[in-house]
């Protein structure tokens, strides 16, 4: 969701030749930042909703839960404890409930895992993984969009509904480009995601003492499970999750830009 909102800072889409003296109404520039934020936020919400059920399965895979062994920056810091508790609850399976609910999980982590610091296990790989994921995702989508509209504007593009002088990708092309961008970005940043999840699970895992830092966790996962079954375990499922998520996020954002007259 944060990634989708960050799209508001992206470069404007390629424009078609504009007649002399033409220009959009001044009113369209009013509250541009707010309309951009709303467009990105709505895109992120839609994307997250489409793949929410797959998040739990991915957590179980990344942490090697034995019941599922057959299955092949400011905003982050503020919301990280909620993500921590969500992961702990998602990892639980029937008959092995460590936490009875959200409040109990918060109280237990605070009391047994070092107070407030206990809620921020895995924050470092989260932050380090954001840069390659966001950078590669935006760069890939922007490049595909630019190349497509430059070389095949008639086939791939259409005039924007809020500004006929601006070309935008057709909806199905937007979905395709967003999906490709998400897949490539996830492939590059996935080891950080696996490391973060295992660190977040903390005392729930038997190897807790061997995974206290990011370096120790990566070393442990690589040493015991290797690359394919360790650092990239669950990646195929994550493609099923992230490809539609990013496709929906980028496409919704492009549509919201037109709705809020951002082109």
């Amino acid at each position: 969701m944060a990634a989708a909102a960050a799209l508001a800072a992206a470069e404007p889409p390629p424009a078609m030749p504009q007649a002399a003296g033409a220009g959009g109404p001044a009113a369209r520039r009013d509250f541009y930042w707010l309309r951009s934020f709303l467009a990105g936020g709505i895109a992120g919400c839609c994307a997250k909703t489409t793949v929410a059920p797959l998040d739990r399965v991915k957590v179980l895979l990344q942490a090697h839960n034995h019941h599922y062994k057959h299955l092949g920056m400011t905003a982050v810091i503020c919301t990280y404890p909620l993500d921590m508790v969500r992961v702990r609850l998602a990892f639980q399976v029937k008959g092995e409930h460590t936490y009875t609910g959200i409040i109990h999980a918060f109280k237990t982590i605070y009391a047994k895992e070092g107070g407030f610091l206990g809620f921020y296990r895995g924050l470092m790989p989260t932050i380090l993984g954001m840069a390659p994921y966001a950078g590669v995702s935006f760069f890939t989508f922007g490049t595909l969009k630019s190349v497509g509209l430059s070389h095949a504007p008639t086939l791939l593009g259409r005039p924007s509904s809020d500004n006929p002088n601006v070309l935008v990708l057709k909806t199905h092309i937007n979905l395709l480009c967003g999906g490709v961008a998400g897949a490539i970005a996830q492939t590059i940043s996935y080891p950080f995601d696996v490391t973060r999840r295992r660190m977040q699970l903390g005392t729930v895992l038997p190897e807790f003492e061997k995974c206290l830092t990011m370096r120790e966790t990566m070393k442990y996962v690589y040493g015991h499970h290797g690359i394919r079954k360790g650092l990239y375990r669950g990646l195929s499922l994550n493609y099923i999750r992230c490809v539609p998520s990013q496709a929906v996020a980028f496409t919704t954002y492009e549509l919201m830009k037109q709705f809020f007259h951002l082109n």
Side-chain angles (χ1 to χ4, degrees):
M1 181 173 176
L7 280 170
E11 290 294 324
M16 297 167 63
Q18 191 170 3
R28 292 184 179 179
R29 296 193 297 269
D30 294 343
F31 301 106
Y32 184 90
W33 64 271
L34 178 59
R35 288 181 281 125
S36 296
F37 179 81
L38 288 175
I42 293 173
C45 288
C46 292
K48 192 68 176 179
T49 302
T50 60
V51 297
L54 293 175
D55 271 338
R56 181 169 187 264
V57 180
K58 187 184 73 168
V59 170
L60 293 166
L61 276 173
Q62 290 176 331
H64 289 78
N65 185 296
H66 64 278
H67 290 281
Y68 291 83
K69 60 183 179 181
H70 61 284
L71 295 177
M73 259 348 117
T74 301
V76 172
I77 294 176
C78 291
T79 61
Y80 196 80
L82 297 175
D83 189 45
M84 165 77 80
V85 172
R86 181 181 68 86
V87 170
R88 294 288 181 95
L89 294 176
F91 187 69
Q92 295 186 139
V93 293
K94 187 176 181 180
E96 295 184 0
H97 284 179
T98 304
Y99 311 106
T100 58
I102 296 176
I103 302 300
H104 182 246
F106 269 107
K107 290 181 177 179
T108 303
I109 294 173
Y110 180 83
K112 298 183 177 181
E113 300 185 32
F116 286 109
L117 292 179
F119 293 108
Y120 287 93
R121 284 179 49 82
L123 180 61
M124 184 58 67
T126 300
I127 295 176
L128 293 179
M130 287 173 63
Y133 179 81
V136 172
S137 181
F138 297 157
F139 174 79
T140 302
F141 180 80
T143 299
L144 292 174
K145 178 180 178 180
S146 178
V147 171
L149 292 178
S150 297
H151 291 80
T154 304
L155 179 64
L156 305 180
R158 62 175 178 79
S160 173
S161 61
D162 65 322
N163 187 351
N165 295 306
V166 173
L167 275 180
V168 295
L169 291 174
K170 295 179 180 178
T171 301
H172 64 285
I173 303 299
N174 253 322
L175 288 169
L176 177 62
C177 292
V180 172
I184 295 176
Q186 279 291 315
T187 301
I188 294 175
S189 63
Y190 195 72
F192 289 103
D193 196 25
V194 172
T195 302
R196 170 179 59 132
R197 293 306 186 194
R198 294 185 73 90
M199 291 182 69
Q200 283 181 326
L201 289 169
T203 56
V204 176
L205 299 177
E207 65 271 16
F208 166 65
E209 296 295 335
K210 300 177 181 179
C211 301
L212 296 177
T213 67
M214 184 181 75
R215 182 176 179 276
E216 290 176 349
T217 304
M218 283 189 164
K219 183 178 180 180
Y220 177 86
V221 174
Y222 175 75
H224 286 74
H225 306 289
I227 296 178
R228 186 173 66 87
K229 294 184 178 181
L231 295 176
Y232 280 93
R233 181 177 176 84
L235 179 60
S236 57
L237 174 66
N238 207 49
Y239 283 145
I240 301 176
R241 168 189 173 275
C242 79
V243 170
S245 175
Q246 286 299 91
V248 170
F250 278 108
T251 302
T252 305
Y253 179 71
E254 291 295 313
L255 293 174
M256 289 298 100
K257 283 174 64 179
Q258 298 174 63
F259 179 80
F260 288 113
H261 298 283
L262 298 175
N263 288 320

